[in-house]
Amino acid sequence: MTQSIVLASGNPGKIREFTQLVTEFQLKIIPQTILNVSEVEETGLSFVENAIIKARHAAQQTGLPAMSDDSGIEVDALAGAPGIYSARFAGIGATDERNLELLLEKMQDVPDEQRTGRYHCVIVYMHHPNDPMPLICQGSWEGQILREPVGSNGFGYDPIFYVPTHHCSSAELSPEIKNQLSHRGQALRALHAALLANRHIA
């Protein structure tokens, strides 16, 4: 039996990746925008807190199980920034392009050997809004920050996230390869295993 879960996100890039990722699992994700779920302010100070806020809000408004991804890029030379503010690094409503440009501006004087960073992803699943034990899974993906965008796949900071194992940017990887490697792919596979172990899905 396919389990329907509300995805607490309106981000087209995330929705596209999740849709691709769950094809191998017995899961059906419904983007919250289809169910007219409103956006909720992300007031947490960590990926975990923000993911819980979004998942709980979607579950409250729909009455369905909900999952939320909170993710971002952490750059060592910037003391971990943008971190939880990755989607709004250049301000509320900033485009992917503007966020990326600002990161490159702040990194322009950083030497190549110090341009290390990583993507983080936390996925939270809540069976209902008052779930006292939400499932929390995470993944991380090590890389380096390029000096200019390369590639047209992916979204967010993918064009400047260099993947040393494949000698290219994340935006140059095929969706299939990216999903095998990525922080989001890691976290979702861990969530699927947790859902099976906790008998939330057959």
Side-chain angles (χ1 to χ4, degrees), residues 16-83:
R16 182 172 61 251
E17 285 195 359
F18 269 107
T19 301
Q20 293 165 346
L21 282 161
V22 300
T23 54
E24 61 184 287
F25 307 135
Q26 290 292 90
L27 300 174
K28 177 185 178 184
I29 59 168
I30 307 169
Q32 66 177 19
T33 47
I34 292 177
L35 300 174
N36 297 314
V37 175
S38 61
E39 293 288 334
V40 64
E41 188 177 359
E42 297 178 32
T43 56
L45 298 178
S46 67
F47 292 121
V48 172
E49 290 175 296
N50 283 333
I52 289 174
I53 289 169
K54 291 185 286 186
R56 178 175 288 128
H57 179 73
Q60 284 174 334
Q61 293 208 352
T62 65
L64 293 170
M67 60 187 283
S68 174
D69 153 312
D70 201 55
S71 51
I73 193 167
E74 173 191 24
V75 179
D76 294 322
L78 300 181

Side-chain angles (χ1 to χ4, degrees), residues 135-182:
L135 299 178
I136 302 174
C137 299
Q138 60 185 346
S140 62
W141 191 17
E142 295 288 331
Q144 297 171 325
I145 309 303
L146 293 169
R147 294 189 176 276
E148 59 184 26
V150 183
S152 57
N153 293 332
F155 66 102
Y157 298 90
D158 286 347
I160 59 170
F161 185 77
Y162 180 76
V163 184
T165 56
H166 287 64
H167 309 290
C168 66
S169 77
S170 175
E172 293 178 283
L173 296 171
S174 68
E176 294 76 20
I177 296 297
K178 181 186 177 185
N179 291 340
Q180 289 174 16
L181 301 172
S182 78

Side-chain angles (χ1 to χ4, degrees), residues 33-130:
T33 47
I34 292 177
L35 300 174
N36 297 314
V37 175
S38 61
E39 293 288 334
V40 64
E41 188 177 359
E42 297 178 32
T43 56
L45 298 178
S46 67
F47 292 121
V48 172
E49 290 175 296
N50 283 333
I52 289 174
I53 289 169
K54 291 185 286 186
R56 178 175 288 128
H57 179 73
Q60 284 174 334
Q61 293 208 352
T62 65
L64 293 170
M67 60 187 283
S68 174
D69 153 312
D70 201 55
S71 51
I73 193 167
E74 173 191 24
V75 179
D76 294 322
L78 300 181
I84 63 170
Y85 304 105
S86 293
R88 52 192 189 278
F89 192 40
I92 301 296
T95 62
D96 284 355
E97 290 77 13
R98 182 62 194 123
N99 286 328
L100 185 154
E101 288 169 0
L102 179 60
L103 182 57
L104 288 180
E105 288 171 17
K106 290 181 176 293
M107 293 283 289
Q108 62 184 356
D109 296 326
V110 177
D112 291 348
E113 64 273 14
Q114 295 177 23
R115 300 177 71 88
T116 53
R118 64 210 50 82
Y119 271 130
H120 289 298
C121 175
V122 171
I123 297 179
V124 166
Y125 170 91
M126 301 191 78
H127 199 53
H128 52 77
N130 299 314

